[in-house]
Amino acid sequence: MNSPIALEVEALQRFRAQFPVLTRPCRGGVLEIFPDRFPDNSGPAGSSWSPSPVVPLGIICDGAPRTLWLKLEAHNPYGSIKGRTAFALWQSVKDRIDARIGLIESTSGNLGLALAGLAASLHVPFTAVVDPRVSPSVQNALRVMGAKVVVVDRPDGAGGFLLNRLAHVAQRVSREPGLVWPNQYTNPANPAVHAQWTAPELRAQLPAKPMSVLVAVSTGGTLAGFRDYVCAHSPDWELIGVDVVGSVALGDVHGERLLSGIGASRRSTFLPHGYRPAVHIDPPEAVSACLWLKETTGIAVGSSSGALVAAALRLFREDPARTDIVCLCPDGGDRYLDTVYSERWRSQHDVAAVDIAAGVTGGGVLDASSGATPGFDRPGTEDSAHEAPAQGASAQGEVTLS
């Protein structure tokens, strides 16, 4: 009898099969979403993307050595993991785009910035529909890139603004013929890009050993894509979703939410039955983890990445058998200087510091090849996995879009 996860994956694949322009079967059941050519035979970011870096940090948690692996998606073009999603969404709607009318999308920031960059490079109008939790600096960055910014400031009754943002987009599309909505919340290109690109890239960068892999939840596309990849290829991963308290993305009870880029006011279309295992983090934990990581390592990450780090430290304490945890960090701290990293903002929103790293010492960057740093003995590290690169990737792990 098929497992519920296998049945869900099969149903999602049947749904994606309705989009032959976007997807086609490829080896191992992973869907190939990249076309041979980008629009007009030119990629705005150049001919290829190199893999985002993975940084291993050696820590001592409750007296035991652990490794916290950070995949830093801020090093992607457009500064976040949403650059990958933006490319896939664009490919899915490119044949419908009218360069005079353009496209519109609801965004908490990162996808909007990526789509704004793509639209500007191809001289296409773009409207980003945001809410007050998107920081002023990100809103200004969107405008600088040529996007029109619409701020929806009416709460949706489910702890955020998302439902009203989506209603605004739907009204605009119904009133303006030719306006294209890629719709990151339902478009199968969203999870497909992570199943076919992000997940295999990460696997090729990690040692061939058991790992807990933590993925933040908002639309649910990234987690669903990783789930699809794990189901198809069976890496030795414990895949864990990380959400915030008050989010209903995985079917939990709604409540007020403060942080942008993680959580949602509606259930994920890509994870209609929720997802387990999952960890829920509150804002003080996520913010404190961001501050601890920056103070300890000099690495500044965004609020969703802070939630991942907070969850990782909790999981290390709960299970001594977990020696390696990977955090897929969606973006960097540069987009949160006037929120997470602002003492004034934290005071205004009553975000009190918590001792997120109680019982944790260290934090030095390890030598990924040896798994050790001076004064930190990490026995049993195996050589990195050297698989055949995913279809569409070079031997160095680059994904070619030209």
Side-chain angles (χ1 to χ4, degrees):
M1 183 175 180
N2 291 333
S3 69
I5 290 179
L7 290 173
E8 186 175 335
V9 170
E10 182 181 348
L12 189 56
Q13 288 175 337
R14 286 198 301 271
F15 173 63
R16 292 176 184 165
Q18 302 174 56
F19 300 84
V21 173
L22 170 67
T23 63
R24 56 184 180 270
C26 71
R27 184 183 58 198
V30 177
L31 296 176
E32 172 66 52
I33 68 165
F34 295 107
D36 295 329
R37 298 285 180 185
F38 199 77
D40 300 325
N41 296 329
S42 63
S47 61
S48 66
W49 280 12
S50 295
S52 61
V54 173
V55 177
L57 303 178
I59 64 174
I60 305 294
C61 183
D62 294 336
R66 316 290 178 92
T67 303
L68 179 63
W69 304 77
L70 306 178
K71 184 164 176 61
L72 301 175
E73 291 287 288
H75 292 262
N76 284 330
Y78 308 117
S80 78
I81 195 171
K82 291 293 189 175
R84 303 176 192 260
T85 309
F87 266 101
L89 293 175
W90 191 285
Q91 293 299 332
S92 73
V93 299
K94 66 180 179 5
D95 293 334
R96 296 193 285 118
I97 294 175
D98 185 329
R100 299 165 301 175
I101 301 173
L103 38 80
I104 187 170
E105 183 60 275
S106 166
T107 173
S108 59
N110 283 331
L111 181 69
L113 290 167
L115 284 175
L118 282 169
S121 68
L122 296 171
H123 309 290
V124 173
F126 171 62
T127 299
V129 180
V130 304
D131 62 55
R133 286 191 304 219
V134 177
S135 70
S137 62
V138 170
Q139 293 185 38
N140 290 336
L142 285 164
R143 294 187 180 97
V144 166
M145 297 174 77
K148 180 180 180 181
V149 177
V150 175
V151 181
V152 174
D153 58 5
R154 184 165 59 91
D156 59 14
F161 303 86
L162 174 61
L163 300 182
N164 288 332
R165 280 177 13 209
L166 294 176
H168 176 86
V169 174
Q171 290 170 2
R172 287 280 304 274
V173 171
S174 67
R175 293 198 309 257
E176 302 175 37
L179 184 62
V180 172
W181 178 15
N183 200 345
Q184 63 167 322
Y185 306 93
T186 63
N187 193 325
N190 183 346
V193 71
H194 301 295
Q196 192 268 329
W197 184 7
T198 319
E201 176 183 298
L202 174 61
R203 188 180 186 185
Q205 293 173 303
L206 294 173
K209 60 187 301 185
M211 296 270 182
S212 296
V213 177
L214 274 53
V215 177
V217 178
S218 181
T219 67
T222 308
L223 180 58
F226 268 68
R227 177 208 57 192
D228 290 357
Y229 178 78
V230 170
C231 185
H233 296 279
S234 303
D236 199 358
W237 289 355
E238 176 193 30
L239 183 63
I240 301 174
V242 177
D243 204 353
V244 288
V245 175
S247 167
V248 300
L250 299 180
D252 299 286
V253 178
H254 73 77
E256 290 296 321
R257 301 191 318 281
L258 174 65
L259 304 178
S260 64
I262 184 170
S265 299
R266 51 173 273 176
R267 293 188 69 145
S268 169
T269 302
F270 309 116
L271 300 164
H273 305 296
Y275 183 84
R276 294 294 183 270
V279 177
H280 289 76
I281 299 295
D282 61 34
E285 291 177 294
V287 171
S288 296
C290 288
L291 300 177
W292 169 78
L293 187 67
K294 188 175 186 300
E295 293 169 0
T296 305
T297 68
I299 298 173
V301 297
S303 55
S304 57
S305 303
L308 295 173
V309 172
L313 296 178
R314 182 190 298 179
L315 291 168
F316 275 143
R317 293 190 187 95
E318 290 178 354
D319 185 359
R322 283 195 183 96
T323 59
D324 293 83
I325 296 181
V326 185
C327 296
L328 180 66
C329 298
D331 61 6
D334 57 308
R335 295 173 179 179
Y336 301 85
L337 297 180
D338 44 7
T339 55
V340 170
Y341 294 96
S342 165
E343 186 175 350
R344 180 180 179 182
W345 179 88
R346 297 195 300 270
S347 176
Q348 288 175 338
H349 294 279
D350 296 321
V351 180
V354 298
D355 192 2
I356 196 72
V360 176
T361 58
V365 177
L366 299 174
D367 179 350
S369 63
S370 66
T373 196
F376 184 91
D377 182 20
R378 191 76 174 87
T381 301
E382 301 177 24
D383 293 336
S384 296
H386 296 287
E387 301 180 334
Q391 188 169 347
S394 71
Q396 288 76 33
E398 295 186 348
V399 177
T400 301
L401 297 179
S402 60

